[in-house]
Amino acid sequence: MTTDLDLGCTCGRVRGIARGVSPRTVNHCACYCLDCQSFARFLGRADDVLDEHGGTDLFQMSPAGLEFTAGLEAIACMRLTPKGLLRWYAGCCRTPIANTLASSGMPFVGMIRTFARGPADTADAALGPVRGYGYPKSASGDRSTLPEGGLPTALLLARLMTLVLRWRLRGDHRRSSFFHADTGRPIVEPQVLRTEEWEELRRRSR
Ligand SMILES: [Zn+2]
Ligand SMILES: [Zn+2]
């Protein structure tokens, strides 16, 4: 069984649907890396995006399952560094949306749970338990209370690659809301942070 999850930014302008979500079709994980923490700080949303250890709750899914139903024109994109991930957010209220690679060729979107709307227990059931925690060495706060178990970062990435290969073979790389189907270019030109801005965000994430 799969679920269609309602998505939306805090102010309600950007809305969408994540179709066909189930524990088998997505990679539900949490990421403690400094870049994910820096993104939440860039948005001014660290308090409601990050958990007590600086973790971001996210689920990686096929871009073909993501559809925007309103507010596409408000979607903004940034990169922490010139070669960093594309980090998508709602420019209206600075709600994080997703991370992607810089081109559409490796088709996945790392949806940030903050962008999910609707009852939390519906999303909990659709996503299943967190499969693993990425980059726990970058976690903040009291390490002794970090969640235990789950796949290590390398196996999380391996599971993602298996899913991505399947999605690529299915042609999902041509069905992403974030990239033009004909050119593979992002729909919005990403803003790249200046080195000083990025260093300042990282400093605050330690
Ligand atoms: Zn908004
Ligand atoms: Zn991360």
Side-chain angles (χ1 to χ4, degrees), residues 31 33-40 50 56 58 80 87 99:
C31 189
C33 84
L34 290 181
D35 285 351
C36 287
Q37 295 188 50
S38 295
F39 180 46
L50 303 180
T56 300
L58 49 89
L80 292 162
R87 294 177 183 271
N99 306 319

Side-chain angles (χ1 to χ4, degrees), residues 16 23-24 29 38 61 89 110 143 146 160 175:
R24 292 173 57 86
C29 50
S38 295
M61 59 177 279
Y89 63 99
R143 299 274 177 87
L146 275 178
L160 175 64
R175 300 172 60 207

Side-chain angles (χ1 to χ4, degrees), residues 14-17 66-70 72 75 97 111 115 177-178:
V14 181
R15 290 196 298 275
I17 304 170
L66 171 64
E67 182 193 340
F68 288 102
T69 55
L72 195 64
I75 293 176
I97 297 176
M111 300 299 301
F115 189 58
S177 302
F178 294 123

